[in-house]
Amino acid sequence: MKSLGCLLVLVVLGFLLLPAPALAAVSVGVRVADHERTLPQLSAVTVAQDTALQTRLGAQLARHLAGATTGYQRLDELSMNLHERRLKLYDRLGMGPLRVDLVWPDRSRTVYSMDGNSNRRTGYVTGQSRDPYGNQLPDQSAAQRAGAVSLVGSYQFQNVRNRQAWVRAARAQGIPVQVDTPSATRLQCRWSGTALSCHTE
């Protein structure tokens, strides 16, 4: 797979201070360019299923956020150092960590986070990925009780293809999905008290 660096076109929507009860957070919106000719089509669904991809994307994203993409080692190193200092300042001011919302070409979303101790990479935030219709995507958080319980509920999809993508993500995490109606565009997920299971409606 070619470098994910060429995938990202940063459209910084702004550094926003978002008030919260105890502290503020710095948030950046990132739109991802669609490079179908040079890279496999990526989306929140594909990233949610692949922990190795999450790690590679996190390292590339950190370099882009720092502006460390010139190809000149000393300049890139300076950019990373300045970015780390900025993140540590956010932490000291109670404004961290930096939250990065990736918006993919299909309008699905992936969330990453980075603070002053992130070792120069953004970290994938589990349980926050959404498909193009706002449905929570199953990821590695489903292996824990809290993550599995958070997936309980009804899911509505625009078409069968989108439902199938969600089902593949669920099955990749070991969640059984019963498809009674192949043409169904709705799913229901229930918690039995010990396990999560889903079925079409």
Side-chain angles (χ1 to χ4, degrees):
M1 186 181 201
K2 295 184 180 180
S3 169
L4 290 170
C6 65
L7 174 70
L8 298 175
V9 173
L10 299 184
V11 180
V12 179
L13 302 179
F15 284 86
L16 305 174
L17 294 183
L18 303 177
L23 48 86
V26 179
S27 181
V28 177
V30 176
R31 293 196 179 275
V32 181
D34 187 359
H35 290 279
E36 292 183 21
R37 295 178 184 172
T38 57
L39 289 171
Q41 179 66 41
L42 295 179
S43 69
V45 176
T46 53
V47 175
Q49 294 178 67
D50 189 337
T51 55
L53 176 59
Q54 291 166 14
T55 300
R56 290 198 307 274
L57 181 58
Q60 291 287 331
L61 181 57
R63 286 195 287 274
H64 276 270
L65 289 170
T69 57
T70 68
Y72 295 96
Q73 186 175 355
R74 286 190 176 183
L75 185 56
D76 288 346
E77 182 66 20
L78 176 62
S79 296
M80 287 303 297
N81 286 337
L82 290 173
H83 188 58
E84 281 184 314
R85 291 183 183 202
R86 183 166 55 241
L87 291 173
K88 286 178 180 176
L89 176 62
Y90 291 160
D91 292 344
R92 285 197 300 271
L93 295 175
M95 294 163 48
L98 175 67
R99 176 187 166 99
V100 184
D101 292 287
L102 292 177
V103 182
W104 299 95
D106 66 352
R107 300 190 313 277
S108 61
R109 293 175 178 266
T110 303
V111 177
Y112 275 81
S113 179
M114 188 176 189
D115 61 25
N117 300 307
S118 293
N119 296 318
R120 300 190 171 197
R121 69 177 62 240
T122 54
Y124 175 83
V125 181
T126 60
Q128 297 294 308
S129 294
R130 297 289 184 273
D131 73 7
Y133 311 103
N135 297 309
Q136 181 181 342
L137 286 167
D139 58 22
Q140 59 264 43
S141 65
Q144 306 296 322
R145 180 186 176 105
V149 170
S150 74
L151 291 164
V152 170
S154 295
Y155 296 85
Q156 177 68 51
F157 305 94
Q158 187 176 37
N159 53 53
V160 172
R161 186 178 71 250
N162 296 127
R163 187 212 72 209
Q164 290 171 333
W166 195 97
V167 168
R168 282 194 302 274
R171 288 177 173 162
Q173 303 303 327
I175 300 168
V177 182
Q178 184 174 344
V179 179
D180 298 316
T181 310
S183 61
T185 56
R186 288 181 60 86
L187 276 173
Q188 178 73 34
C189 293
R190 294 190 172 90
W191 177 254
S192 68
T194 57
L196 180 73
S197 62
C198 306
H199 64 88
T200 54
E201 289 188 329

